[in-house]
């Protein structure tokens, strides 16, 4: 069931107005909303998915995956427009890259990149990819039709850090997703990343056949570096919440 069927008319209008949303899943998300406005939008989608998960556990995964988008936007990153090639041609998607770094006595011993791209403003369709700092893939997933999750059958590409800037923007007040409060326990720095992806997904009944292929060339993304506390055992929940599914599916 598409998420929009679970929203009241008033709530749907509010979500769409918040981001000047387009009406079609394939036309791509709108350009121009501020990071705070976009974070509010993703937070609204998260809250509806969380509420829907009470009656349909498939929405648990949707809520988890939406957290990636909200996390990046809430701490100040603006979405990058991506020219994506699918089985049917090219489309304009939006996306972010962020990194979680776990230092130990001053040496970076464990970090992971998350690449997340979304097709439409209500995020009926998105792709999530994870990589360790050494380039090892920790999984690739397609979320479509709101709650259908498909693991990639093949993949190539990666992500890397390009530059690091100043401290991240403080998230706006009122966001209900707990991942935001968790991330505020880290040290966050604005950053730029480069990423490219070439993924194949198996055909699935009821899913747009164009999504069997997904790729984009090397592209610069805005995002963040989240540094966990250095003491043993002090790793925050970002990797657990956002990367555990990828590791399990790989």
């Amino acid at each position: 069931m598409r998420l929009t069927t679970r929203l009241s008319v008033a709530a749907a209008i509010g979500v769409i107005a918040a981001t000047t949303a387009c009406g079609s899943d394939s036309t791509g998300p709108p350009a121009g909303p501020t990071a705070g406005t976009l974070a509010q939008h993703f937070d609204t989608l998260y809250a509806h998915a969380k509420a829907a998960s009470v009656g349909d556990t498939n929405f648990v995964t949707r809520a988890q995956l939406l957290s990636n988008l909200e996390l990046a936007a809430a701490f100040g990153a603006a979405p990058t427009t991506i020219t994506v090639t699918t089985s049917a041609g090219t489309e304009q998607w939006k996306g972010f890259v962020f990194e979680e770094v776990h230092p130990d006595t001053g040496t970076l011993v464990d970090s992971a990149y998350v690449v997340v791209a979304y097709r439409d403003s209500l995020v009926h369709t998105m792709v999530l990819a994870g990589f360790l700092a050494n380039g090892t893939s920790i999984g690739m997933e397609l979320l479509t039709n709101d709650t259908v999750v498909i693991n990639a059958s093949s993949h190539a590409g990666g992500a890397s850090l390009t530059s690091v800037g100043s401290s991240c923007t403080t998230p706006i007040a009122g966001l209900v997703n707990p991942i935001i409060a968790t991330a505020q326990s880290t040290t966050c720095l604005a950053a730029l990343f480069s990423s490219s992806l070439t993924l194949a997904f198996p055909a699935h009944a009821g899913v747009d056949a164009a999504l069997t292929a997904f790729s984009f060339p090397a592209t610069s993304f805005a995002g963040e570096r989240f540094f966990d506390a250095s003491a043993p055992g002090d790793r925050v929940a970002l990797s657990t919440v956002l990367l555990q599914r990828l590791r399990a599916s790989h």
Side-chain angles (χ1 to χ4, degrees), residues 190-209:
L192 293 177
F193 302 88
S194 179
S195 177
S196 64
L197 286 177
T198 299
L199 309 177
F201 294 99
H204 191 287
V207 169
D208 184 354

Side-chain angles (χ1 to χ4, degrees), residues 135-153:
T136 301
S137 165
I138 52 176
M140 318 282 167
E141 290 183 340
L142 166 69
L143 173 72
T144 190
N145 296 15
D146 291 335
T147 59
V148 176
V149 178
I150 304 173
N151 293 322
S153 54

Side-chain angles (χ1 to χ4, degrees), residues 99 101-111 225 227:
E99 180 184 12
V101 182
H102 181 61
D104 185 6
T105 62
T107 301
L108 302 184
V109 296
D110 186 15
S111 65
R225 300 189 89 197
F227 289 81

Side-chain angles (χ1 to χ4, degrees), residues 139-194:
M140 318 282 167
E141 290 183 340
L142 166 69
L143 173 72
T144 190
N145 296 15
D146 291 335
T147 59
V148 176
V149 178
I150 304 173
N151 293 322
S153 54
S154 67
H155 60 83
S160 60
L161 177 68
T162 302
S163 64
V164 181
S166 58
S167 297
C168 296
T169 300
T170 300
I172 62 172
L175 300 177
V176 301
N177 192 330
I179 197 65
I180 303 304
T182 299
Q184 286 182 292
S185 70
T186 72
T187 297
C188 178
L189 296 176
L192 293 177
F193 302 88
S194 179

